[in-house]
Amino acid sequence: MKVVIVGGVAGGATAAARIRRLDEQAEIVVFERSGYISYANCGLPYYIGGAIQNPAALTLQTPESFDARFRVDMRVHHEVTAIHPDRKCVSVTNLETGEQWEESYDKLLLAPGAKPAQPKVPGVGLARVFSLRTVEDTFRIKEYVERKHPASVVLAGGGFISLEMAENLRKLGLDVTIVQRPRQLMNPFDADMAALIHAEVRRHGVKLMLGHTVEGFVERDDGIDVLLKDAPRLHTDMVVLAIGVTPESDLAKSAGLALGVKGSIAVNDRMETSVPDIYAVGDAVQVKHFVSGTDVVIPLAGPANKQGRIAADNICGGNSRYQGSQGSSILQVFSMTAAATGLNEAAARQAGLQVDKVILSPMSHAGYYPGGKTMTMKVVFEKETFRLLGAQIVGYDGVDKRIDVLATAIRCGMSAVALKDLDLAYAPPYSSAKDPVNMAGFMVENIQRGVVKQWYLEEADTLPQDGSVTLLDTRTEAEYAMGHVEGFVNIPVDALRERLQELERGKPVYVICQSGLRSYIAARILMGNGFDCYNFAGGFRFYDAVKNEQKLIEQATACGMDA
């Protein structure tokens, strides 16, 4: 059996190694357009910033080491330019010599990945306008930074690569501005959770111009102008395009393979395309979202590697199935960590689901043990069934392990209520006896049993201020004096029982505190005394952070300036 693989990075390299482990006799040929194989895309910004100093560390294998271990004919600087399914061969060009020929196959695996999205605006090809996809791109950016010593950079886009570049270029001393059309960074997060990311980015000196559209680039004064719609142009020393990626599906399209959403390659759960003996994996393919069941493109390394293994199994006569992607991801944002899995609230509603959520601010470990830090967790679930749909966490220590627990719970089909029953490891330096994941489960159970009712951030601006409801802040007087929601009166929770007569019976009571815990206790006191009570999801700390961010974005958008 002869297997030809197009693309030698995540999915392609994984498939090649797996095929060899399953079939010692197979002939395996991999064509990779760049000069490197099996490299860590996610590590590229950290080489530019100096956290990774040895360029060799970016590549997990070389063509020589891969061949020595797996006997795979790994050809870099070779581009497959056409697929001929009727003759079961591909057209290949050696990019170093210009030689062209046709290579036959018994099985063909497409793992071309995704390419940086290029806005169709003037100036995209200018020398100071960079994109980051390959190791070669990385070297070009790093060489430019070291040779030209730019003082400023504009990052067009606000996803993973943009934030990683922002952090690393700030550490090199550059003035960094992120510009993008959406009014929030990091699409996997809801706008309220993204506000916490915005605050951290701003705290480290990164300027945000959200809600602005880039219309082109013009060279001027030994730099480059970034042209913006309805806003003054930005002058900078360099630009990095990071507005997302699009599937590399041109080969598949030209060969008549069926395409899916966003021009991706359509595959079934065996990673088979619409043409017999042709498989496809990685950032170029359409998959099912594990939670919603909808067709999606999720360009992440974890799914690409799993798909490569599954395709290899099936090429070798197996029957492996890909169960779908749920978009589990994590990102370092300066000193913070942001992570998400499954559907966020906006995506769940867009999928037609009736959803609810809990928002909590637990400590990373036991409060009495030194060094604990607050994280903010948002857990999204289906209203009637309490099916766990997704989660987002922004914080410091312990974010990674909590998101992995929640990702596993989603994969296992657990309900949000069942999170309370998970038997999770506890020691004071690492967690609390009631782990944050357990706490989320307790909160959802309270909702299920009617122990508590919630009100939400999106209701804040529409709460009646005419006296028809009671608005109650249960923090201390000192906390209240430092800032509070307009219209809320202050009765500290520990004085509430003695001051119940101050509250008019028959009126709904909307309660808030700093994190949601004291207001929950207050809600139970009030409900136990016959009041109809609603606890705020997230607490004043969450409310204040999100509202401040919304105000900054609105002001910046209105005046066409950065925030």
Side-chain angles (χ1 to χ4, degrees), residues 185-295:
L185 303 175
M186 295 299 296
N187 189 53
F189 294 80
D190 286 312
D192 51 7
M193 295 296 287
L196 307 178
I197 300 173
H198 296 177
E200 177 71 3
V201 169
R202 295 185 203 275
R203 191 170 71 85
H204 285 83
V206 176
K207 302 178 183 69
L208 298 182
M209 294 194 67
L210 306 177
H212 291 277
T213 301
V214 174
E215 294 194 321
F217 309 98
V218 177
E219 285 187 319
R220 183 177 67 86
D221 298 338
D222 197 30
I224 189 163
D225 280 356
V226 181
L227 309 180
L228 303 176
K229 182 178 181 180
D230 300 327
R233 62 179 60 190
L234 298 174
H235 187 69
T236 187
D237 294 326
M238 63 184 293
V239 171
V240 178
L241 299 176
I243 60 175
V245 295
T246 58
E248 281 269 24
S249 57
D250 292 344
L251 272 177
K253 181 178 181 180
S254 298
L257 277 64
L259 300 183
V261 296
K262 299 181 180 179
S264 58
I265 304 171
V267 294
N268 60 19
D269 59 359
R270 287 171 46 86
M271 309 315 297
E272 297 169 322
T273 70
S274 60
V275 175
D277 296 323
I278 301 180
Y279 298 74
V281 301
D283 294 354
V285 306
Q286 170 185 288
V287 296
K288 293 290 184 185
H289 195 287
F290 182 79
V291 180
S292 68
T294 57
D295 293 327

Side-chain angles (χ1 to χ4, degrees), residues 356-359 379 381-383 386 417 440-456 520 535 537:
D356 203 348
K357 64 207 171 189
V358 292
I359 300 169
V379 177
F381 56 94
E382 198 168 22
K383 268 190 176 179
F386 291 88
V417 176
F442 294 145
M443 293 171 69
V444 177
E445 182 189 40
N446 282 341
I447 293 170
Q448 181 191 49
R449 294 174 56 187
V451 172
V452 68
K453 295 183 287 187
Q454 296 189 118
W455 69 278
Y456 307 98
Y520 163 63
N535 185 29

Side-chain angles (χ1 to χ4, degrees), residues 60-92:
L60 307 177
Q61 294 276 359
T62 65
E64 295 76 20
S65 67
F66 208 95
D67 182 64
R69 176 159 296 180
F70 297 110
R71 291 298 184 268
V72 169
D73 185 1
M74 188 75 71
R75 306 185 200 179
V76 296
H77 293 138
H78 283 68
E79 182 175 11
V80 173
T81 57
I83 304 169
H84 311 288
D86 54 333
R87 293 186 284 119
K88 298 193 76 169
C89 66
V90 296
S91 297
V92 184

Side-chain angles (χ1 to χ4, degrees), residues 119-198:
K120 296 179 180 179
V121 298
V124 167
L126 294 174
R128 293 183 181 88
V129 179
F130 300 88
S131 60
L132 181 59
R133 179 197 181 195
T134 66
V135 175
E136 289 92 341
D137 295 335
T138 310
F139 291 159
R140 278 192 290 272
I141 295 173
K142 189 171 181 67
E143 188 272 338
Y144 179 84
V145 171
E146 292 179 343
R147 178 170 54 87
K148 293 290 188 177
H149 303 289
S152 61
V153 60
V154 167
L155 304 173
F160 289 96
I161 292 295
S162 181
L163 286 185
E164 289 169 352
M165 286 295 294
E167 177 178 348
N168 282 280
L169 292 174
R170 277 298 293 152
K171 288 179 179 178
L172 293 177
L174 276 73
D175 183 75
V176 178
T177 301
I178 297 176
V179 181
Q180 72 162 15
R181 184 166 48 203
R183 291 164 63 92
Q184 72 163 80
L185 303 175
M186 295 299 296
N187 189 53
F189 294 80
D190 286 312
D192 51 7
M193 295 296 287
L196 307 178
I197 300 173
H198 296 177

Side-chain angles (χ1 to χ4, degrees), residues 358-375:
V358 292
I359 300 169
L360 57 158
S361 299
M363 295 287 284
S364 56
H365 61 242
Y368 61 83
Y369 188 88
K373 295 182 178 179
T374 301
M375 65 179 74

Side-chain angles (χ1 to χ4, degrees), residues 472-473 475-477 489-505 525-526 531:
L472 179 64
D473 188 320
R475 295 176 297 159
T476 65
E477 293 178 359
V489 297
N490 178 222
I491 301 178
V493 64
D494 292 336
L496 182 58
R497 289 185 180 88
E498 288 70 38
R499 297 175 61 179
L500 285 176
Q501 71 279 2
E502 298 178 28
L503 304 179
E504 187 175 341
R505 294 184 179 274
I525 293 172
L526 291 167
F531 288 86

Side-chain angles (χ1 to χ4, degrees), residues 409-532:
I410 291 172
R411 183 63 55 159
C412 293
M414 290 177 58
S415 76
V417 176
L419 296 175
K420 69 184 176 63
D421 297 318
L422 291 176
D423 194 348
L424 303 174
Y426 159 62
Y430 303 105
S431 185
S432 300
K434 296 176 182 177
D435 187 86
V437 174
N438 296 137
M439 288 300 301
F442 294 145
M443 293 171 69
V444 177
E445 182 189 40
N446 282 341
I447 293 170
Q448 181 191 49
R449 294 174 56 187
V451 172
V452 68
K453 295 183 287 187
Q454 296 189 118
W455 69 278
Y456 307 98
L457 182 71
E458 53 269 28
E459 299 176 68
D461 294 335
T462 60
L463 285 177
Q465 299 281 340
D466 58 0
S468 60
V469 300
T470 299
L471 307 178
L472 179 64
D473 188 320
T474 60
R475 295 176 297 159
T476 65
E477 293 178 359
E479 289 173 309
Y480 181 83
M482 292 176 64
H484 56 268
V485 183
E486 185 177 354
F488 277 69
V489 297
N490 178 222
I491 301 178
V493 64
D494 292 336
L496 182 58
R497 289 185 180 88
E498 288 70 38
R499 297 175 61 179
L500 285 176
Q501 71 279 2
E502 298 178 28
L503 304 179
E504 187 175 341
R505 294 184 179 274
K507 289 184 180 180
V509 184
Y510 289 78
V511 192
I512 193 170
C513 74
Q514 191 70 5
S515 69
L517 176 58
R518 283 174 288 174
S519 54
Y520 163 63
I521 294 169
R524 291 304 305 150
I525 293 172
L526 291 167
M527 292 177 75
N529 283 276
F531 288 86
D532 181 22

